[in-house]
Amino acid sequence: MNIPALRGSRITGFGHHQPDRILTNDELSTMVDTNDEWITTRTGIRTRHIAGPDDSVTSMATEAARNALADAGVAPTDVDLVVVASTTHRDRSPYTAGRVAAALGMTNGPAPVDINTACSGFEYAMAIADQAIRTAAADTAVVIGSETLSRIADWTDRSTCVLVGDGAGAAVLQATDEPQIGPVSWGSVPHLQDAVRVTHDPEIFQQEGRSIYRWAITEAEGHARAVVERAGLALDDIGVFAFHQANLRIIEPLVTALGGEGKYVVRDVVESGNTSAASVPLGLSKAWHRGELPEGVPALLFGFGGGFAHAGQVVTTPVRRH
């Protein structure tokens, strides 16, 4: 039996894509009984991007991956694993990951993997790709979160429709002898299994906001600390906090509880809304390409939501090639 030498993975590039249409709170107030003050006070959200007729989970995932590969300086044919996290896949087969690979000209036939753990999907996908690289099942992977939540929203329910947005974020992972992605800490909360739901016939997104908020402000901190401990680090070592972009009223108290004042905090929820599995990579990539994301520092990724699943890992942010 061939046992691979100790190795790990590192992030070498980020990419993202969002639909052109931007829906403001003021425009929402003409569609449902709400207003800008009500939305921003309760969620922090001011705008969100909404998929148009030509936008899909696959098309946005493809563009995000294309941009990430360009950022990393990696050719599509060098990729041997594509993992797509989404809860809004339209088709069960062919896989979204396979379609992304074909669209990008990955003629070498990389392994395609679709997963659905909703809002923690990107962190699960990262773990799968990292573990594949650690065991030499892959050398280069593209990990993507892509969602079209607007297509499963109830636009008559102001408690949920004001939250959702569409978009995709991606990261390129490559093998390294100096691992820069820590071990995943993941799990679920059985008694909250139905707190976030996407039902079928009709296909619609629903959630129990109070239950989620209560868990987030009482339990999420402990799970986030466990992620850092598994990486063998202390909270003082963390330079970036990237949590699922569900609600600014959840993100801010969580950052405070973890002593994150003065550190870089991803707050993309303000302009993108809740994009489920896309939210963490979308926020990271936008910050990276704006030149805001610190280079070469430990970043705490932590996602939670539908299922009710949670997952996180500490990763080292990339260093710019030029």
Side-chain angles (χ1 to χ4, degrees):
M1 182 180 295
N2 292 323
I3 306 298
L6 179 65
R7 68 176 195 168
S9 65
R10 62 188 178 103
I11 296 173
T12 56
F14 282 120
H16 64 276
H17 180 81
Q18 291 180 282
D20 292 333
R21 186 191 172 198
I22 297 175
L23 179 63
T24 66
N25 290 347
D26 288 337
E27 186 178 352
L28 258 176
S29 69
T30 69
M31 301 164 54
V32 67
D33 182 19
T34 190
N35 56 63
D36 178 68
E37 182 182 7
W38 190 92
I39 298 170
T40 55
T41 299
R42 288 163 176 78
T43 70
I45 299 169
R46 295 189 179 277
T47 60
R48 67 288 291 149
H49 291 247
I50 303 297
D54 297 328
D55 297 309
S56 67
V57 168
T58 299
S59 69
M60 293 191 300
T62 299
E63 291 309 308
R66 188 192 312 277
N67 294 333
L69 287 167
D71 185 48
V74 172
T77 49
D78 289 337
V79 175
D80 41 29
L81 173 64
V82 180
V83 187
V84 177
S86 180
T87 194
T88 48
H89 294 286
R90 302 305 300 176
D91 300 323
R92 293 176 181 167
S93 183
Y95 331 102
T96 299
R99 284 177 165 164
V100 168
L104 291 177
M106 297 180 184
T107 53
N108 55 314
V113 180
D114 286 359
I115 70 165
N116 174 16
T117 53
C119 305
S120 57
F122 182 74
E123 291 70 40
Y124 275 83
M126 283 278 287
I128 290 169
D130 174 59
Q131 291 166 18
I133 290 173
R134 283 178 180 271
T135 59
D139 290 319
T140 302
V142 178
V143 182
I144 311 162
S146 183
E147 300 282 16
T148 53
L149 285 180
S150 68
R151 293 190 174 139
I152 59 172
D154 180 353
W155 290 99
T156 67
D157 178 11
R158 73 171 185 173
S159 69
T160 56
C161 74
V162 302
L163 302 173
V164 301
D166 303 326
V172 175
L173 273 60
Q174 292 185 277
T176 176
D177 292 333
E178 299 178 0
Q180 296 180 14
I181 295 180
V184 68
S185 178
W186 54 15
S188 62
V189 187
H191 74 273
L192 290 179
Q193 185 175 24
D194 293 324
V196 183
R197 304 179 299 280
V198 177
T199 58
H200 186 67
D201 197 22
E203 189 176 21
I204 193 166
F205 159 65
Q206 299 171 299
Q207 70 172 22
E208 298 170 9
R210 290 183 180 178
S211 298
I212 298 165
Y213 181 76
R214 189 180 306 114
W215 182 88
I217 63 173
T218 60
E219 303 292 334
E221 177 192 348
H223 291 293
R225 287 180 179 275
V227 174
V228 177
E229 290 171 5
R230 288 216 66 189
L233 298 174
L235 281 168
D236 286 346
D237 298 320
I238 303 299
V240 174
F241 291 86
F243 303 131
H244 168 48
Q245 303 292 291
N247 188 320
L248 203 59
R249 289 179 61 207
I250 292 174
I251 295 170
E252 299 287 12
L254 187 52
V255 169
T256 299
L258 296 171
E261 296 92 340
K263 305 296 182 71
Y264 188 86
V265 179
V266 173
R267 295 183 176 91
D268 187 53
V269 65
V270 174
E271 61 182 49
S272 297
N274 182 342
T275 55
S276 190
S279 75
V280 169
L282 181 60
L284 286 169
S285 179
K286 290 170 72 174
W288 174 249
H289 288 282
R290 286 194 301 260
E292 296 176 0
L293 194 70
E295 299 181 45
V297 303
L300 170 58
L301 316 188
F302 185 64
F304 55 89
F308 191 94
H310 56 83
Q313 57 270 105
V314 175
V315 308
T316 299
T317 57
V319 174
R320 298 186 185 280
R321 294 186 294 127
H322 47 261

